Amino acid sequence: MIRLSTRTLLVLGLLFASIFPLNFFPHAQDLPAGTHVQLSGKQGEVLVVTLPVSGHPQKVVGHLLKRDIIFFPIADGEYAGLLGLDMQDRPGQHDLVIQVEYPDRQEEHKVTILLMKEDYKVQHLKLPKKMVDLDSKTLARVKKESKVLHQAFDSVVPKPLWRTGFIEPVQGRVSGRFGSRRVINGQSKRPHSGEDIAAPNGTPVVAMNSGVVRLTMDHFFTGKGVVLDHGLGLFSMYFHLADVDVSQGQMVEKGQTIGKVGATGRATGPHLHWGVRLNGSRIDPYSLLKVSVKGMS
Ligand SMILES: [Zn+2]
């Protein structure tokens, strides 16, 4: 048995879009002692980080840019964490500090994350004036609804409810790209935090993975919507639905119909707004389709 400190046994599986498959990265045992580990990813991407862990820690948690990433066991002596890089995270080098907590001691690992800028496009949109220049009553409503939505993200299910193999909730033409900088009626607005997929009214919308229905709503901007909680800080959102077919607290399976495509809320035509939040980061939903974690299928 080769004796190496856990620090040198750091293995990283990086999911780097379509460029490298997950298994591109070698196993810890193949890394020479003292290897400096660096991962890179773009704004809006998901990275899968795996870590060999000895013994039975009580908790394995990573910290990156003030976010907590809870690692979970995937195999004997191995933990994994999904790292979301927010669409507006500052490009450059950031430290991911992983703490492995045992009853009597704590180990710490540091990984450098090289965060690269994504080249987001500008999207010009024309919308009815009353949907953009909000009166004070509507503004108050929007603020309240935003609070309700964000409270849903406070939920912490201590284990992943998903399995590897995320799917698209509806198939269609992407009509609004994730991250695009939006100019609505000539005014610069917040970047688009999801993908808009155009599909005919009434097309079934399915869950991208298994989880629990954390919120169903009918809000000014989002229209009728569903928020699914997939555990450990991973949430998916489905907005502008014509109908919602699930209720709060219900468990759903991957591929289960949760609603139908519509144009409720602020929408120019029938489409699904599909958004994903991971540990507080707004990430590109399509980057999840490439996620594969050993032992999670
Ligand atoms: Zn949208």
Side-chain angles (χ1 to χ4, degrees), residues 140-159:
R141 177 185 165 186
V142 163
K143 274 191 185 156
K144 206 169 123 194
E145 290 173 345
S146 164
K147 217 170 150 187
V148 170
L149 177 61
H150 283 85
Q151 271 166 358
F153 302 137
D154 288 342
S155 145
V156 182
V157 175
K159 59 175 186 187

Side-chain angles (χ1 to χ4, degrees), residues 152-173:
F153 302 137
D154 288 342
S155 145
V156 182
V157 175
K159 59 175 186 187
L161 301 175
W162 52 273
R163 312 296 300 168
T164 280
F166 289 86
I167 57 171
E168 255 182 310
V170 67
Q171 281 172 359
R173 182 181 60 87

Side-chain angles (χ1 to χ4, degrees), residues 129-136 138-139 142 220-221 266:
K129 204 173 172 324
K130 70 171 184 4
M131 295 302 274
V132 183
D133 302 310
L134 310 181
D135 57 45
S136 58
T138 310
L139 205 60
V142 163
F220 180 80
F221 280 134
R266 191 169 79 176

Side-chain angles (χ1 to χ4, degrees), residues 23-24 66 107 117 125 148 177 179 192 230 242 251 256 263:
N23 56 11
F24 173 82
K66 293 183 182 156
E107 284 176 6
K117 196 172 162 52
L125 289 169
V148 170
R177 279 287 293 142
H192 190 225
H230 304 282
M251 294 296 297
Q256 185 178 332

Side-chain angles (χ1 to χ4, degrees), residues 176-234:
R177 279 287 293 142
F178 171 84
S180 53
R181 286 175 287 139
R182 288 196 146 169
V183 181
I184 304 177
N185 297 355
Q187 300 172 40
S188 202
K189 296 285 180 187
R190 280 198 293 190
H192 190 225
S193 60
E195 294 279 1
D196 288 342
I197 307 171
N201 240 318
T203 306
V205 172
V206 304
M208 69 168 196
N209 214 316
S210 45
V212 57
V213 179
R214 191 55 64 206
L215 181 70
T216 60
M217 75 257 233
D218 189 357
H219 288 176
F220 180 80
F221 280 134
T222 66
K224 290 182 187 173
V226 174
V227 177
L228 296 185
D229 182 350
H230 304 282
L232 294 181
L234 177 66

Side-chain angles (χ1 to χ4, degrees), residues 33-110:
T35 301
H36 176 71
V37 185
Q38 180 172 291
L39 283 177
S40 59
K42 276 186 170 180
Q43 290 172 322
E45 272 184 353
V46 185
L47 303 179
V48 178
V49 180
T50 60
L51 174 79
V53 169
S54 60
H56 299 281
Q58 292 166 306
K59 201 174 166 191
V60 180
V61 58
H63 306 280
L64 176 81
L65 293 163
K66 293 183 182 156
R67 295 182 203 119
D68 293 344
I69 298 109
I70 301 173
F71 280 64
F72 51 92
I74 50 168
D76 204 24
E78 207 167 359
Y79 275 66
L82 290 192
L83 202 66
L85 305 174
D86 188 79
M87 64 200 299
Q88 288 187 309
D89 274 346
R90 187 170 43 81
Q93 285 194 1
H94 303 284
D95 282 340
L96 165 66
V97 177
I98 308 169
Q99 283 161 341
V100 185
E101 293 173 24
Y102 295 95
D104 54 341
R105 68 197 157 96
Q106 183 173 304
E107 284 176 6
E108 202 171 274
H109 308 281
K110 204 183 268 185

